[in-house]
Amino acid sequence: MIAIDSSVIIDLLAGEAGTAEGAEAALRQSLSIGPVVLCDVVLAEVTTALQDGSQALAALEEMGIGYVATESKAAVRAGEMQRRYRQRGGKRQRTVPDFLVGAHALLQCNALITRDGGFFRDYFKGLKVIVPKAS
């Protein structure tokens, strides 16, 4: 099972040249391996980009993306990583949702499709990160 970040889904929905093609290729490749899912945070972020929740759910279903809720162990890990981030001097640009996405992918999935590979590799050691190629 592979998790997907909101930035990649928004690239797919926006259809902008340069990012949409890479996002689509990464999604297709991942779907050929197994299920692609999103967590609560990503669903909420994608819903804000669309008119309503039913539109978001329909778009995700059409893309073949499922939903897996964040487990308590992932939420705890997210909080621990947020604390580490702050102790290392991190500023407000990284908030708990970023850490929830990473912890969900690390503990409940096998990989994460995201545009923000550096952050997730740094804070979630061992997480396989798939960064779509921009054209």
Side-chain angles (χ1 to χ4, degrees):
M1 188 163 48
I2 298 172
I4 189 166
D5 196 5
S6 55
S7 60
V8 178
I9 296 170
I10 292 168
D11 286 346
L12 288 164
L13 294 171
E16 291 187 29
T19 56
E21 292 87 3
E24 184 176 349
L27 177 59
R28 284 185 191 279
Q29 174 63 32
S30 297
L31 285 168
S32 73
I33 296 168
V36 174
V37 300
L38 50 75
C39 67
D40 330 60
V41 169
V42 174
L43 180 55
E45 290 173 341
V46 169
T47 300
T48 64
L50 298 171
Q51 289 185 339
D52 60 44
S54 60
Q55 184 183 19
L57 291 171
L60 293 166
E61 184 178 334
E62 186 176 315
M63 289 183 224
I65 299 170
Y67 169 78
V68 173
T70 304
E71 295 176 359
S72 59
K73 66 182 179 181
V76 168
R77 175 69 66 91
E80 292 169 349
M81 293 296 95
Q82 171 77 8
R83 183 180 338 105
R84 181 175 170 215
Y85 172 76
R86 292 282 172 94
Q87 289 170 343
R88 289 171 71 183
K91 305 290 186 247
R92 264 317 263 165
Q93 67 264 36
R94 291 290 174 193
T95 59
V96 171
D98 295 321
F99 292 95
L100 284 166
V101 170
H104 174 266
L106 178 68
L107 298 177
Q108 295 178 240
C109 300
N110 301 318
L112 174 65
I113 308 168
T114 182
R115 279 194 285 136
D116 198 0
F119 166 73
F120 289 105
R121 285 186 188 103
D122 186 25
Y123 280 90
F124 298 94
K125 303 288 188 225
L127 174 62
K128 181 181 178 189
V129 176
I130 302 164
V131 178
K133 293 183 172 103
S135 55

